[in-house]
Amino acid sequence: MAKSDTPLLDQLGGGKWPSFIDDMKQAAKKKPMAKDLLGQLELSYKEKIGHWKHGGIVGVKGYGGGVIGRYSDCPEKFPNVQAFHTLRVNHPTGWFYKTEALRNLCDVWDKHGSGLTNLHGSTGDIILLGTTTDHLQECFDDLSAKGFDLGGSGSALRTPSACVGPGRCEWACIDSLDTCYNITMSYQDEIHRPMFPYKFKIKVAACPNDCVASIARSDLAIIGTWKGDIPIDQKEVAAYAAAGLDIQKEVCNLCPTRCMVYNGRELKIYDEDCTRCMHCINLMPKALRPGPEKGATLLIGGKAPIVEGALLSWVIVPFMKLEPPYTELKDLIMKIIDWWSETARSRERIGELIKRVGMRTFLRAVGLPALPQMVKSPRTNPYVFFWPEDIKQKEVK
């Protein structure tokens, strides 16, 4: 048996789960760029150091983002990845594709790049991995001819993304697809021309299950919700109990606010304490449904653990009706972005800025009232502060 050129990478492909190494080896059979990529990656595993260097500013005409420049720091060993730039291509909302669109995309990439793709990474974009500088503009032109555009990169509005929402999900409380598409089309300049202190991500989830993990992975999370009581079908509740579901143990006791009581015959929900987490609805979908008045909760500040550590976003608007053309939502987005752009330090995400200057400063700047839903934890000190202009001065007689 011939000795493998990539023994360390082979270990990744040898497990019981599918491996990206297998895909790269398949691409390497017809693409020299993919073959050299395997070699450089093997070297990185061997030497325990990355062998990529940032390529500076590369891109296509009229765009400041959408292309991530990347070069090998050992081009003498791997000449076919001397330049290995990445293109971020704006995905269709909800990641719905026709077969023809996927074939067109792959044809363009086979013509101009390594053939390696990532659908879909944490950005949400279509990631096209590996092309040379002289192919960037040609690849973009061919993509444009097929109806594709570049997504966001750098200190810009990153490509908005959304769950499949009403396209497939019965729990959708808002039209996540239309909301995301409208935002994407409204903010083309902010997506394609970096102008912010750092990145800004918007993700839209149609219901509180939050299948796009917007609460943890976006600076502005838009999550579908409802007002009012959860409708209960007591006959279906009894059917779940008869089928063996321990409603008290598996539903009521696991409710985060303990707002539910089951007496063995009927289920009672104290809706004033409900936080719309969907736990009970997910376990008993035939018995429980979201309330009739639908809208969205807006949250701010989620991010990954770079610089200040990971942050989960927190509520700034408990309930907003979302209807085209989404004027109220987009007005608030611009207020948030304007304040952040003027106030933040370089490479400071909005969640880090709010953590630094305080939530009340943020709320005052964007014109939002302080509400109980914004409280993350009880106060830890007895002091209450007021804005000086809000304190009535005593008249001096």
Side-chain angles (χ1 to χ4, degrees):
M1 181 180 293
K3 185 178 180 181
S4 171
D5 294 330
T6 56
L8 297 177
L9 297 185
D10 291 346
Q11 294 181 38
L12 293 176
K16 62 180 180 178
W17 305 111
S19 172
F20 70 98
I21 297 300
D22 296 332
D23 295 331
M24 288 172 63
K25 286 184 175 181
Q26 185 176 355
K29 294 177 181 179
K30 61 178 182 178
K31 290 284 186 177
M33 185 176 277
K35 183 176 181 180
D36 273 11
L37 177 63
L38 281 169
Q40 180 165 307
L41 187 58
E42 177 74 17
L43 183 64
S44 294
Y45 275 58
K46 181 179 179 181
E47 297 182 350
K48 296 181 175 59
I49 185 173
H51 283 286
W52 296 111
K53 57 183 180 180
H54 194 277
I57 304 301
V58 291
V60 299
K61 293 178 182 177
Y63 285 60
V67 178
I68 298 98
R70 189 171 288 115
Y71 292 93
S72 170
D73 69 359
C74 44
E76 68 287 347
K77 294 181 180 178
F78 309 105
N80 292 301
V81 292
Q82 182 267 335
F84 196 79
H85 307 313
T86 290
L87 283 88
R88 285 183 178 163
V89 180
N90 199 327
H91 55 275
T93 306
W95 301 290
F96 285 103
Y97 293 92
K98 290 184 177 180
T99 304
E100 180 185 4
L102 287 172
R103 291 187 182 279
N104 288 336
L105 182 73
C106 292
D107 287 344
V108 171
W109 192 231
D110 275 339
K111 178 181 176 182
H112 294 290
S114 69
L116 296 170
T117 64
N118 180 2
L119 279 75
H120 290 269
S122 59
T123 64
D125 291 296
I126 303 163
I127 306 298
L128 304 181
L129 293 160
T131 191
T132 56
T133 305
D134 57 326
H135 272 275
L136 286 173
Q137 186 65 45
E138 295 177 10
C139 184
F140 170 70
D141 292 341
D142 286 350
L143 287 169
S144 296
K146 298 296 184 181
F148 289 97
D149 197 359
L150 296 187
S153 69
S155 296
L157 176 63
R158 298 300 178 84
T159 314
S161 62
C163 68
V164 298
R168 290 189 64 184
C169 180
E170 63 179 312
W171 304 129
C173 296
I174 57 173
D175 190 339
S176 56
L177 304 175
D178 187 63
T179 304
C180 183
Y181 179 75
N182 190 293
I183 290 171
T184 302
M185 299 306 293
S186 298
Y187 298 119
Q188 289 291 292
D189 201 45
E190 289 78 7
I191 292 172
H192 293 139
R193 294 161 189 88
M195 61 185 82
F196 295 162
Y198 202 18
K199 67 183 78 170
F200 193 93
K201 299 180 179 181
I202 300 175
K203 297 187 186 297
V204 188
C207 83
N209 279 320
D210 193 13
C211 291
V212 286
S214 63
I215 194 171
R217 299 171 59 239
S218 64
D219 299 272
L220 180 68
I222 303 169
I223 302 178
T225 187
W226 68 90
K227 272 186 178 181
D229 296 349
I230 297 174
I232 306 174
D233 186 332
Q234 298 293 353
K235 290 183 179 180
E236 291 293 346
V237 172
Y240 278 110
L245 178 66
D246 189 333
I247 295 176
Q248 184 61 46
K249 180 180 179 181
E250 299 179 43
V251 181
C252 299
N253 291 353
L254 295 179
C255 171
T257 59
R258 298 295 179 92
C259 71
M260 311 179 73
V261 175
Y262 181 63
N263 62 9
R265 299 182 304 278
E266 291 188 341
L267 181 69
K268 167 66 176 175
I269 301 178
Y270 296 92
D271 290 273
E272 63 272 19
D273 294 327
C274 175
T275 57
R276 318 294 195 271
C277 75
M278 294 286 291
H279 168 69
C280 59
I281 295 176
N282 291 334
L283 285 181
M284 298 193 296
K286 292 183 179 180
L288 306 173
R289 309 290 297 185
E293 188 177 355
K294 305 296 197 302
T297 295
L298 308 186
L299 303 95
I300 197 80
K303 58 177 285 293
I306 301 174
V307 184
E308 285 290 329
L311 293 174
L312 287 179
S313 55
W314 61 99
V315 173
I316 55 171
V317 179
F319 188 86
M320 177 185 288
K321 294 290 287 185
L322 280 188
E323 297 174 348
Y326 310 105
T327 303
E328 184 181 5
L329 171 64
K330 290 189 286 189
D331 285 349
L332 179 58
I333 289 173
M334 290 314 300
K335 289 178 182 178
I336 291 171
I337 287 176
D338 287 346
W339 173 75
W340 173 57
S341 297
E342 293 175 0
T343 311
R345 297 168 178 167
S346 177
R347 297 179 69 82
E348 184 174 47
R349 298 284 286 273
I350 190 166
E352 295 165 337
L353 172 60
I354 294 172
K355 184 179 177 182
R356 175 167 64 87
V357 304
M359 175 58 87
R360 72 174 190 152
T361 301
F362 165 75
L363 295 176
R364 186 179 180 85
V366 300
L368 289 173
L371 298 169
Q373 291 91 338
M374 300 172 181
V375 177
K376 276 195 166 184
S377 59
R379 294 177 63 85
T380 57
N381 67 61
Y383 302 104
V384 180
F385 299 94
F386 298 90
W387 297 107
E389 59 268 31
D390 292 338
I391 301 175
K392 293 182 179 180
Q393 301 296 324
K394 291 183 179 180
E395 294 183 4
V396 180
K397 294 183 179 180

